[in-house]
Amino acid sequence: MCGIAGLFHLGTPKPVDPARVGRMCDALAHRGPDGSGVWTEAGVGLGHRRLSIIDIEGSPQPMHSADGSAVLVFNGEIYNFRELRRELERDGAAFRTDGDSEVILAAWQRWGIDCLERLHGMFAFALYDRNRKELLLARDRLGVKPLFMAPLSDGSLAFASELKGLLAHPLLRRETDPRAVEDFMTWGYVPDHRSMLKGVEKLPAGHFRLLKHGGPAAQPQQWWDVDFSKRKKGTTEDLSVELLHLMREGVTSRMEADVPLGAFLSGGVDSSSVVALMAETSRDPVTTCSIGFDVKELDETGYAQKVAGLFGTQHHARTVQPDDYHEVDRLVQMFDEPFADASALPTWRVCQLAREHVTVALSGDGADEAFAGYRRQVFHAREEQARAVLPEFLRKPLFGGLGAIWPKADWAPRPLRAKSTFQSLARDGATGYARALSVVPPEIRGQLFSDELKRELGEYRAEQPLVELMRNAPARSGLDRAQYADLKFWLPGDILTKVDRASMAVSLEAREPLLDHRLIEFAAQLPHRARIRGTQGKWLVKHTMERYLPDDILYRPKQGFVTPISEWFRGPLATQAKAISSGAGLARTGWFNPRALARIAEDHIARRADHGRILWQLLMLERSIKHLQITG
């Protein structure tokens, strides 16, 4: 796991200052504390920060191919590199190192752009072919590893693993994209199709860019997608056997490391399944880490301890006080762009704990998206059944009218929030799901935003890209489309961003075995009954893991990392809530209506409403503006 950065001149190849590339890499030192390197020649510069995982003494980067004609900087891991190496050796390739980086170089020279389909793993890399005068930028299938890009005024393209790498370049523009404000206030993060800064792009998951000196700035091209349009056949047990095989492959392939390796263990289905399969393979006890809270209803450490006992792991647990509000600025520095998923705090804490014992940790991320494990997916599947029975001309006036008059009940469990259900059923499936996934609905955003920002946004609404993604999905049903959107939109923008930044902040490599692309492709073809039965999502996974895990782990209500932000803003952060409307940070941007902000804060503090999540978003936005040194 590493950090990469570089510069590429699209026009005339100009000299590249290695010190400038070095400064971009230095901003990423937390991603790679074990080594650094810079290589430049006319028109190109590549930089690297290394966290040594495999072939610790060898494989320095930037790495040259055996003949010196190609140069690589690479962030990630290729899990099938030994198989590829053997195949390439049969074709005559010779290797000087024992790591995976040199295999990427040889694969490029043997198969060209088709090498991407052969790479199983998580990666973002830049490869410069000195003969072709081409730069290949590539990102893994699901977007586990990030890559930011920005054109500069001197005609070069800058790229880096994190935005802070680009911020280290003096020519980067620091002008805000107003659509990113709309996106952030809708989702609580800036999705991958947008950046907080105008001109900055994120290479989409499963895409590459092939750039050439003197040529046009080639746009990203998709090299992988997940297809929900097909259905697997077979008995439940046949599917279960295949699933278990793929899960084992995903876990065992990610257990190779020349440094201490362990796992995150929350006590939920996914992390417990990963630990069970690790214990099945490992000769030594698995090292596991969990974080708990001193608030009983938020604490899962008892379940984690039970799983640890079942498999004899070396378990490490820590209880944190649910008052980490003083770490807000640390989070802002970690993410650069505003990021308001409050579970980032406990995620960072468990990464800190894990780094005290291991350098690599396996997680359970990805199964909910792939196998329909989220409650919202279960509700959406039910709503789609209702939409199939009632045509739109009946649903829209009936449920739209009920949604307008029904009292709002955010405090209630989702099944009892009839207002939200009615509002969703009045819309088509894609629009309804986008609304369910959003944090702040458009009518509330309309109250918060200033007239000036509304004019800048015009007709744009943050839900539009998600709705379009769902409507164009390679899918057969509404559930398919919802899962496709979760995998392509929510997963890289929120979940994987959170885990990457939180783990890399402490120089820990996090690996996601349940995001093995073969497992994802299998899950996308499962019949609905293998995904959802009754109120149970992720049904086939739970059924399959019954041979390893007890029912109170598999079938208890789903929990996640929860941070008590609502109470923070009525207690230690109450002054911050009041200051949001009167402070200079948001006020000078001109994006918000100060009276609406004041009303949000007052109603929350007085317990007339629960606006804790909105206040957290506003606070993170305000601090990020300061961190990015932008004024609007």
Side-chain angles (χ1 to χ4, degrees):
M1 194 66 65
C2 308
I4 67 173
L7 297 166
F8 181 77
H9 283 277
L10 293 164
T12 303
K14 300 176 184 177
V16 173
D17 181 1
R20 184 162 284 179
V21 178
R23 285 191 292 273
M24 294 171 69
C25 286
D26 289 345
L28 306 172
H30 54 286
R31 297 185 73 93
D34 297 331
S36 64
V38 171
W39 171 84
T40 65
E41 71 176 27
V44 62
L46 303 178
H48 187 259
R49 295 289 314 204
R50 187 180 187 200
L51 177 63
S52 300
I53 303 294
I54 294 174
D55 191 20
I56 294 174
E57 299 301 325
S59 301
Q61 295 188 43
M63 177 173 284
H64 293 251
S65 59
D67 63 3
S69 67
V71 189
L72 171 79
V73 287
F74 159 52
N75 169 30
E77 301 289 349
I78 305 303
Y79 302 119
N80 66 330
F81 80 95
R82 296 197 187 280
E83 301 163 35
L84 291 175
R85 179 182 175 128
R86 288 192 291 270
E87 182 177 355
L88 290 162
E89 284 176 330
R90 288 195 294 269
D91 289 341
F95 293 90
R96 301 155 296 160
T97 67
D98 294 324
D100 52 357
S101 301
E102 194 176 9
V103 171
I104 297 176
L105 285 162
W108 163 259
Q109 292 184 311
R110 174 69 178 83
W111 297 302
I113 203 69
D114 292 338
C115 73
L116 295 174
E117 296 178 0
R118 296 172 177 263
L119 303 179
H120 297 178
M122 56 180 185
F123 55 83
F125 65 76
L127 189 156
Y128 183 66
D129 191 306
R130 301 172 76 186
N131 293 332
R132 302 181 189 183
K133 304 299 180 185
E134 291 178 337
L135 178 74
L136 172 65
L137 300 175
R139 191 176 180 198
D140 64 66
R141 294 168 176 83
L142 278 305
V144 179
K145 294 291 102 184
L147 190 62
F148 288 75
M149 311 168 293
L152 303 177
S153 59
D154 65 354
S156 66
L157 179 81
F159 56 89
S161 295
E162 296 181 26
L163 182 56
K164 55 177 58 68
L166 300 184
L167 292 169
H169 199 293
L171 296 183
L172 184 74
R173 293 170 59 198
R174 300 199 182 209
E175 182 182 352
T176 310
D177 185 343
R179 292 175 298 176
V181 180
E182 158 78 355
D183 288 336
F184 170 71
M185 289 304 299
T186 302
W187 310 117
Y189 59 92
V190 181
D192 267 14
H193 63 264
R194 188 86 62 224
S195 171
M196 200 65 192
L197 300 181
K198 277 185 179 178
V200 173
E201 300 176 62
K202 302 161 191 173
L203 186 64
H207 282 65
F208 71 86
R209 288 184 79 175
L210 192 58
L211 304 167
K212 191 175 183 66
H213 296 304
Q219 295 304 302
Q221 297 182 53
Q222 183 169 271
W223 65 271
W224 182 85
D225 197 9
V226 57
D227 187 357
F228 279 84
S229 66
K230 303 179 180 68
R231 289 288 182 268
K232 274 193 169 291
K233 295 181 180 179
T235 66
T236 295
E237 289 313 306
D238 289 339
L239 294 175
S240 182
V241 167
E242 187 173 357
L243 171 60
L244 183 58
H245 169 73
L246 290 169
M247 290 176 69
R248 281 178 175 149
E249 286 282 304
V251 169
T252 56
S253 67
R254 284 155 178 79
M255 290 179 67
E256 180 165 350
D258 296 332
V259 294
L261 176 143
F264 301 130
L265 178 57
S266 69
V269 175
D270 306 328
S271 65
S272 299
S273 297
V274 168
V275 168
L277 296 175
M278 290 177 73
E280 182 181 68
T281 301
S282 178
R283 294 180 180 179
D284 302 315
V286 177
T287 299
T288 54
C289 299
S290 65
I291 286 290
F293 293 101
D294 63 357
V295 178
K296 184 177 180 180
E297 56 269 26
L298 304 182
D299 189 62
E300 293 186 279
T301 51
Y303 295 107
Q305 187 65 56
K306 180 172 184 175
V307 175
L310 279 173
F311 300 104
T313 75
Q314 291 183 345
H315 190 58
H316 305 276
R318 182 172 296 160
T319 299
V320 297
Q321 301 296 320
D323 60 353
D324 272 351
Y325 53 84
H326 58 279
E327 297 289 3
V328 169
D329 287 328
R330 182 72 183 89
L331 283 179
V332 168
Q333 294 167 7
M334 201 181 299
F335 288 92
D336 294 321
E337 294 186 305
F339 189 82
D341 184 335
S343 67
L345 275 167
T347 300
W348 176 43
R349 290 303 193 201
V350 78
C351 288
Q352 288 178 311
L353 174 62
R355 191 63 178 92
E356 294 174 11
H357 305 280
V358 299
T359 310
V360 177
L362 274 60
S363 81
D365 292 310
D368 285 319
E369 289 81 4
F371 292 93
Y374 288 123
R375 284 186 291 253
R376 63 172 180 263
Q377 295 165 336
V378 176
F379 293 136
H380 181 70
R382 288 180 172 181
E383 289 172 358
E384 286 291 80
Q385 291 174 341
R387 290 186 182 96
V389 173
L390 291 173
E392 185 177 3
F393 75 89
L394 288 177
R395 282 190 289 106
K396 194 168 184 179
L398 173 62
F399 293 116
L402 287 170
I405 63 173
W406 207 269
K408 192 171 176 61
D410 288 339
W411 50 268
R414 172 68 190 268
L416 301 180
R417 298 181 209 168
K419 186 179 186 72
S420 299
T421 301
F422 291 149
Q423 289 174 334
S424 181
L425 285 172
R427 297 168 170 84
D428 66 85
T431 306
Y433 194 69
R435 187 181 181 93
L437 199 57
S438 66
V439 179
V440 183
E443 56 269 21
I444 301 297
R445 303 197 305 268
Q447 296 171 22
L448 292 174
F449 290 164
S450 67
D451 291 339
E452 179 184 351
L453 181 59
K454 291 176 188 176
R455 283 193 296 271
E456 288 189 79
L457 292 174
E459 297 300 314
Y460 177 74
R461 295 296 177 269
E463 293 87 354
Q464 292 167 357
L466 182 67
V467 169
E468 185 176 341
L469 186 70
M470 290 182 69
R471 288 175 177 168
N472 295 328
R476 295 172 60 171
S477 71
L479 177 61
D480 292 343
R481 296 179 194 281
Q483 289 186 250
Y484 184 83
D486 283 336
L487 284 166
K488 304 284 282 190
F489 194 98
W490 156 270
L491 181 72
D494 187 306
I495 303 302
L496 295 179
T497 294
K498 174 183 64 180
V499 175
D500 176 79
R501 303 305 190 278
S503 60
M504 286 284 88
V506 297
S507 303
L508 175 77
E509 176 171 296
R511 297 179 179 176
E512 291 83 4
L514 302 183
L515 283 178
D516 187 295
H517 72 277
R518 295 163 296 184
L519 184 59
I520 298 297
E521 290 167 349
F522 167 83
Q525 296 181 34
L526 286 175
H528 282 205
R529 278 181 55 78
R531 293 181 247 171
I532 296 174
R533 288 198 185 181
T535 60
Q536 284 290 334
K538 214 158 45 186
W539 184 85
L540 186 65
V541 174
K542 296 173 182 177
H543 172 75
T544 300
M545 294 308 296
E546 284 177 352
R547 70 196 73 182
Y548 293 95
L549 299 168
D551 285 358
D552 62 341
I553 297 295
L554 292 172
Y555 296 105
R556 67 186 174 87
K558 181 176 176 60
Q559 283 182 260
F561 275 158
V562 181
T563 306
I565 52 178
S566 290
E567 289 308 308
W568 286 354
F569 284 112
R570 291 175 180 137
L573 289 181
T575 55
Q576 293 281 357
K578 295 175 182 176
I580 283 172
S581 59
S582 56
L586 292 182
R588 69 169 176 263
T589 66
W591 298 331
F592 295 96
N593 178 341
R595 290 182 180 178
L597 295 185
R599 187 166 57 251
I600 287 283
E602 291 166 4
D603 287 349
H604 181 81
I605 294 169
R607 298 184 181 272
R608 290 190 291 268
D610 187 349
H611 294 312
R613 182 62 192 269
I614 297 177
L615 289 168
W616 182 251
Q617 286 182 245
L618 292 168
L619 179 62
M620 295 302 288
L621 179 61
E622 182 180 48
R623 299 294 176 85
S624 295
I625 291 168
K626 182 180 179 181
H627 169 67
L628 294 171
Q629 300 176 6
I630 54 180
T631 58

